[in-house]
Amino acid sequence: MPSCFVVRTLRLVLPAMAIILLAACASTGGARPATPLDTLYGELDQASKGYETALQQSREGDRQASQLTLARSLDRLKEASARCGNTAGCDPQRFFSAFDHLLRLKDGDFGSGQDLDSDVDPSQAALATGSTGAASLPQAQRSVTLLHGQKLSQLIAMNGPVKAALEMWLTQWRPQLMDAWVNYQYLRYQMWPQYQKADLPEALLFGIMAKESGGKVHAVSRSGASGPLQFMYATGMRFGLGSDNGFDLRFDPAASARANAEYINEQLRKFNDNLELALGAYNGGEGRMRRTVGDDTSVSFYDPRIYDQLSQETRDYVPAVLAAAWLFQHPDSYNLRFPKIDGAPGTVTLKRPASLSELTVCLGSAGGMRDGWFRTLRNLNPRLDPQVTQPAGAPLQLPKLLEQAYAARCVDGPWPILAGDLHRAVVPVVQAPVAPPPAVRGTSRYKVRRGDTLISIVRKLHCSSVQEVAEMNGLKHHHISIGQTLKLPTCR
């Protein structure tokens, strides 16, 4: 397809452009070029227009012209951005804005010739639709980028809070982001269809899950929010996440995704498709958000009248979710490489009794899983206690790529024997030493005289404290009166 060349070229060029822009912003000094500032900005505008022209030529099937226009426009943009740092009065933010514009343009609907590899791996797209081949890609791509027919990228304001969250995901939160990606790939076949039915973008689902739990199905917060999407008990009950034979459905990935999609759509209706306000309600409470916003649902989440009244947690939460969703769509443009994961679901019937912990040991690093399969097995079998041995004949959910590894490693041979031996190991229970009972002390009587205070009386004992004497006599505020008889401990 003609447009494939264009967008694949951009996948390589856009990250390089970002690096060039950063270097240009960092550079200082140097002689001012003879080119006036207006001419520099004019070249930036022409480069952006050339990019759009290249896309249009590609849609029309003129690949040669598209290639030439694209090369010229990108060269012009790179050359202009490199000169910005050495040009007095040049605003680097205008070049970053152009970069942001190109990313948003990339999310547009390019018709049947759209290159969908830019945001969706073909194997993942085929998995989402239950089919294979190029015919499955367009619908999957639209579901990634659209929210109720609107471009998700147009709903994400690339402002200070979102940029700061992007940096956090790419630095301090990076391990959680990568774990969330891996966990989600194995849960995707259960969770994504629920969002797809609700006409919500997959990137949003990933953003919420990355921030809420990192894809840990059994996550429980200090406030009691539970599951991969962290539902509170009452909210979960309202959306059908009750108990099923003693199992808390908040821990069920498919049920949790369905409930989350229903909740988000409910809040989008209440807030007139204002995604930021809907996410704020999900985190900070719909009642509080409704009272804060009032009747003006068109107000920005970042309006000081709204933003300043919210908790710090909610002010951080909304841009963090949106930033994770943005990275889900544009990893290459931020020098981010998500690992390729074969998340196709599989199942095995246990040939011998085993717990999830034992299976984790015997599977080892099969399939290249460096950190082992414990988390994935738990996520895919949320109703099972990982330490409880399951009987032979019990079905078990696992990634399809592990079916052969299970047969080769966990049925016969040394590994299941070793795993069982480790699992049956008993750790001695050390009894806590029993503290001797406090020695029973005798008591004496003392009649309070003029000039006595509780402190002066206790000092005469040399064996007690003001608190002890006050408790023995039920004294409030250590108040005593003349003639009062006090019980005092007998000192030896």
Side-chain angles (χ1 to χ4, degrees), residues 21-63:
L21 294 177
L22 291 172
C25 293
S27 65
T28 57
R32 177 175 177 175
T35 307
L37 183 60
D38 289 343
T39 302
L40 191 63
Y41 285 158
E43 292 182 18
L44 171 64
D45 294 337
Q46 289 300 317
S48 297
K49 291 178 181 178
Y51 177 88
E52 298 180 30
T53 301
L55 287 177
Q56 182 60 37
Q57 291 170 332
S58 178
R59 295 189 196 108
E60 294 172 353
D62 192 346
R63 176 175 178 177

Side-chain angles (χ1 to χ4, degrees), residues 7-87:
V7 182
R8 284 174 181 150
T9 302
L10 290 172
R11 294 179 65 193
L12 299 176
V13 173
L14 290 180
M17 286 168 49
I19 295 172
I20 292 173
L21 294 177
L22 291 172
C25 293
S27 65
T28 57
R32 177 175 177 175
T35 307
L37 183 60
D38 289 343
T39 302
L40 191 63
Y41 285 158
E43 292 182 18
L44 171 64
D45 294 337
Q46 289 300 317
S48 297
K49 291 178 181 178
Y51 177 88
E52 298 180 30
T53 301
L55 287 177
Q56 182 60 37
Q57 291 170 332
S58 178
R59 295 189 196 108
E60 294 172 353
D62 192 346
R63 176 175 178 177
Q64 185 175 1
S66 175
Q67 178 181 353
L68 181 60
T69 305
L70 177 63
R72 288 175 176 173
S73 63
L74 292 178
D75 286 343
R76 176 174 288 180
L77 182 57
K78 288 187 290 183
E79 183 180 330
S81 64
R83 298 208 315 268
C84 180
N86 296 322
T87 302

Side-chain angles (χ1 to χ4, degrees), residues 300-312:
S300 168
F301 172 84
Y302 301 102
D303 188 310
R305 295 171 297 170
I306 307 301
Y307 190 77
D308 294 354
Q309 295 188 54
L310 301 174
S311 68
Q312 185 62 51

